[in-house]
Amino acid sequence: MERTGPTVRSSRLLAVCSATLIAVGALVVSAPAVGAADADLVRNGGFEAGLDGWRCANSSGAAVTAPKRSGTSALKATPAGSDHAKCSQTITVRPNSSYTLSAWVQGSYVYLGASGTGTTDVSTWTQSPGTWKQLTTTFTTGPSTTSVSVHTHGWYGTPAYYADDLTLVGPGGEPVVIPAAPAGLRTTALTDSSVALSWNAVSGASGYHVYRGGTKVATATGPSATVTGLTPSTAYSFQVTATNAAGESAKSAAVTATTTEGGGGGGPKLPARALVGYLHSSFANGSGYTRMADVPDSWDVINLAFGEPTSVTSGDIRFALCPVAECPNVESEAEFTAAIKAKQAAGKKVLISIGGQNGQVQLGSTAARDAFVTSVSKIIDTYGLDGLDIDFEGHSLSLNTGDTDFRSPTTPVIVNLISAVKTLKAKYGPNFVLTMAPETFFVQLGYQFYGSGPWGGQDPRAGSYLPVIHALRDDLTLLHVQDYNSGPIMGLDNQYHSMGGADFHIAMTDMLLAGFPVAGDTSKVFPGLRPDQVAIGLPASTQAGNGHTSPAEVDKALDCLIKKTGCGSYQTHGTWSDLRGLMTWSINWDRFNNWEFSRNFDAYFGN
């Protein structure tokens, strides 16, 4: 969140990608000797049959007769905008086997790689404009790997590249067989209208179907799903099946779950549709100061911006009202506290938000952790607040080299933050409201990149919120990722999505609800959150941040996510009817813009 004007953070994404590509460019290795039983497994690797067997993102590829290295055709693929013209093919392979991937290419920047290997995915690249050059790399499949994806791609803003005679030499895979029925189906969370389920992953499965009373109601890419749209205090029976290219397994053993009487999942009660906003309480900017008593009733959660540390590493958080010199119309402490109590009496939640654009917080020691707990508690107690919003940005969170599993983090700033928040939750009890407002760089980018990566060189902040969200998911009231000030982010469709329209919010929100493999590793799947735990974060006006979305596009995103209508090219992995609502930066900027954002929220949900 920003104190001043908008800041574009797309450079972070480019830095991550560039660092990664530089790192992986060093992976060109000599091919091992090929065994007599090995064969070329690529279908139509010479592109003599057009694009048969290949999928090129955004229709970026075509078979052309010139230039070609051999035969009658070659691949021509043209990057455009945020798309780098990736063309790929999925190939059946054998577990624990060695493969040599090779292709002849030409172009300004051309990449060749393989993903889903089950060990270390590989990529190599070259610059070869006007001349054919061979790229070669090798990999070994993991113990349960039965298919890999091989691909070529160019780079953003460069001319078309060409590829020909692409081969993958190694032992052919066994025929794909229908997977076994999943075991271990269990309930992990309940609300009055949803049931969260998980089960044991099935070897060879590419997806799962969830059945309620014999009717398919959800699909999932990993071993978890949330079924929504249920009736309070009602018993339901669920089963799950595993699927792959060969077909669908038998149904699992059934599990019965009964929804709760009240909303929310047992934690602090919020309206079924909640509007969250940040109130500039400690500073002013071009939007002007808004007194707590003047915040309209539309806002259900009011985050006080910001509590900030005395130093980056102290953990000692301080909060004070905006100085009179900066905010001439600021209320007194007594008036501010009274207004908070009035909002709470009307059913609103008021939280202290820690961090923001300028408030870097690094809890690198246990002393900093303890100071955080003590100082945040003092702020909550002084003003009688309902809880805490974590808005760590910039360099507050990053992962140490070697910290590669979001499920068991080892980096002190991550571990200490989790511990501190759990301590606060335990101190204040089940009605303690916990929200988070990370940027896409720290969450959804984790689908591609996590920390410094397997080769080092990546931005260690990539995906670094994921271990915090995962460890606190049972305590989390709301996650509202900032869908703004973001570079293009890859969605679950493996396409890049850019901010400013409905498509970006649909893709980014669906990732949070469906879950995703972190850094493409299918053994490390970030489980989806419950829909009632998720709100969409947007800027309230064009002045508030880059990526402003018009009310019409906001409505489109809500229609797709909640009703699965008007989704455009991106197809969601569920109908998320219990999606909690919207968050915006900020209440002040919405007031500056004649309350356009909150008025549209009220109109859409009939408030």
Side-chain angles (χ1 to χ4, degrees):
M1 306 298 181
E2 304 165 1
R3 281 175 173 260
T4 57
T7 301
V8 178
R9 293 187 175 85
S10 58
S11 59
R12 295 179 180 170
L13 177 64
L14 296 177
V16 172
C17 296
S18 298
T20 303
L21 294 169
I22 290 170
V24 300
L27 288 179
V28 180
V29 296
S30 58
V34 177
D38 291 346
D40 177 16
L41 306 179
V42 175
R43 174 181 172 185
N44 187 31
F47 301 95
E48 314 302 334
L51 294 182
D52 181 40
W54 294 91
R55 180 178 182 273
C56 293
N58 296 319
S59 302
S60 56
V64 297
T65 56
K68 63 182 186 297
R69 179 181 176 271
S70 67
T72 60
S73 302
L75 170 69
K76 176 183 179 181
T78 308
S82 61
D83 174 53
H84 55 18
K86 180 178 181 179
C87 294
S88 60
Q89 181 176 142
T90 299
I91 299 173
T92 301
V93 294
R94 289 185 184 178
N96 296 318
S97 300
S98 297
Y99 293 86
T100 299
L101 176 64
S102 180
W104 289 84
V105 301
Q106 65 171 279
S108 298
Y109 292 90
V110 193
Y111 301 81
L112 174 71
S115 59
T117 63
T119 54
T120 300
D121 292 348
V122 294
S123 179
T124 183
W125 65 284
T126 189
Q127 293 176 281
S128 183
T131 304
W132 288 104
K133 184 175 180 180
Q134 189 177 32
L135 285 173
T136 300
T137 187
T138 64
F139 62 88
T140 300
T141 53
S144 60
T145 302
T146 57
S147 68
V148 298
S149 176
V150 299
H151 62 264
T152 63
H153 67 77
W155 195 238
Y156 309 104
T158 61
Y161 70 88
Y162 300 87
D164 203 358
D165 299 329
L166 193 148
T167 61
L168 180 67
V169 178
E174 299 295 333
V176 179
V177 297
I178 295 175
L185 180 62
R186 55 201 177 272
T187 301
T188 57
L190 295 169
T191 74
D192 60 342
S193 59
S194 67
V195 173
L197 302 164
S198 65
W199 52 90
N200 300 339
V202 177
S203 176
S206 58
Y208 301 90
H209 296 326
V210 179
Y211 290 82
R212 185 187 70 216
T215 300
K216 186 169 71 174
V217 292
T219 60
T221 56
S224 64
T226 299
V227 180
T228 61
L230 307 179
T231 302
S233 303
T234 302
Y236 293 93
S237 177
F238 298 97
Q239 293 173 286
V240 64
T241 63
T243 65
N244 62 16
E248 182 177 9
S249 74
K251 291 185 176 70
S252 70
V255 65
T256 300
T258 302
T259 51
T260 62
E261 294 182 3
K269 300 298 185 289
L270 294 177
R273 308 297 184 190
L275 180 61
V276 182
Y278 287 78
L279 185 67
H280 309 177
S281 300
S282 63
F283 63 94
N285 59 13
S287 64
Y289 185 82
T290 300
R291 294 161 65 99
M292 173 64 72
D294 295 332
V295 176
D297 288 341
S298 297
W299 303 94
D300 301 296
V301 181
I302 303 167
N303 292 329
L304 306 180
F306 288 106
E308 297 182 358
T310 54
S311 70
V312 172
T313 58
S314 71
D316 185 10
I317 307 300
R318 304 296 175 88
F319 172 78
L321 289 178
C322 184
V324 175
E326 187 178 353
C327 305
N329 62 323
V330 64
E331 65 267 63
S332 68
E333 288 278 343
E335 290 171 327
F336 183 69
T337 303
I340 290 174
K341 292 186 183 301
K343 293 295 180 187
Q344 293 169 326
K348 313 303 181 184
K349 305 296 183 183
V350 184
L351 317 180
I352 180 64
S353 180
I354 308 297
Q357 184 182 27
N358 296 341
Q360 306 295 299
V361 182
Q362 296 176 1
L363 304 183
S365 66
T366 54
R369 176 200 65 193
D370 295 343
F372 183 88
V373 172
T374 300
S375 57
V376 171
S377 296
K378 183 177 180 181
I379 296 170
I380 291 172
D381 295 342
T382 297
Y383 295 98
L385 304 179
D386 296 290
L388 169 67
D389 173 69
I390 302 172
D391 185 15
F392 285 15
E393 301 182 17
H395 291 269
S396 292
L397 295 182
S398 63
L399 293 156
N400 289 351
T401 301
D403 190 350
T404 60
D405 192 339
F406 74 94
R407 299 166 299 186
S408 54
T410 58
T411 303
V413 296
I414 304 290
V415 174
N416 289 332
L417 175 60
I418 293 168
S419 175
V421 175
K422 282 188 173 293
T423 299
L424 288 166
K425 178 75 174 182
K427 176 180 180 179
Y428 290 102
N431 290 326
F432 184 77
V433 179
L434 174 63
T435 66
M436 300 182 194
E439 298 164 287
T440 57
F441 185 92
F442 299 93
V443 183
Q444 288 94 336
L445 184 64
Y447 178 51
Q448 289 181 278
F449 307 104
Y450 187 70
S452 57
W455 309 289
Q458 290 178 190
D459 191 319
R461 297 171 296 168
S464 59
Y465 244 97
L466 292 174
V468 179
I469 298 168
H470 184 65
L472 297 171
R473 63 174 55 238
D474 292 338
D475 303 309
L476 181 65
T477 310
L478 272 180
L479 176 72
H480 30 65
V481 174
Q482 301 177 37
D483 285 2
Y484 49 94
N485 294 333
S486 170
I489 301 289
M490 181 179 286
L492 295 179
D493 57 351
N494 292 326
Q495 305 299 310
Y496 283 94
H497 300 267
S498 298
M499 62 183 184
D503 174 76
F504 190 65
H505 306 300
I506 294 166
M508 295 302 99
T509 306
D510 187 59
M511 293 178 78
L512 302 176
L513 299 169
F516 53 86
V518 175
D521 187 343
T522 54
S523 70
K524 298 175 181 175
V525 175
F526 175 79
L529 295 169
R530 302 191 316 268
D532 64 277
Q533 288 180 296
V534 175
I536 307 172
L538 309 103
S541 68
T542 55
Q543 301 92 341
N546 288 320
H548 175 256
T549 306
S550 70
E553 289 295 299
V554 173
D555 291 354
K556 280 185 185 179
L558 293 171
D559 283 344
C560 175
L561 291 163
I562 296 173
K563 306 172 186 175
K564 210 174 178 66
T565 60
C567 291
S569 61
Y570 185 95
Q571 295 301 306
T572 62
H573 293 72
T575 303
W576 312 116
S577 56
D578 288 342
L579 183 73
R580 183 64 77 178
L582 303 178
M583 174 275 279
T584 193
W585 177 261
S586 61
I587 295 172
N588 304 62
W589 279 118
D590 193 36
R591 179 181 182 182
F592 183 88
N593 201 37
N594 196 33
W595 304 113
E596 179 185 76
F597 189 91
S598 54
R599 290 179 191 273
N600 186 65
F601 176 89
D602 290 342
Y604 185 90
F605 290 112
N607 294 345

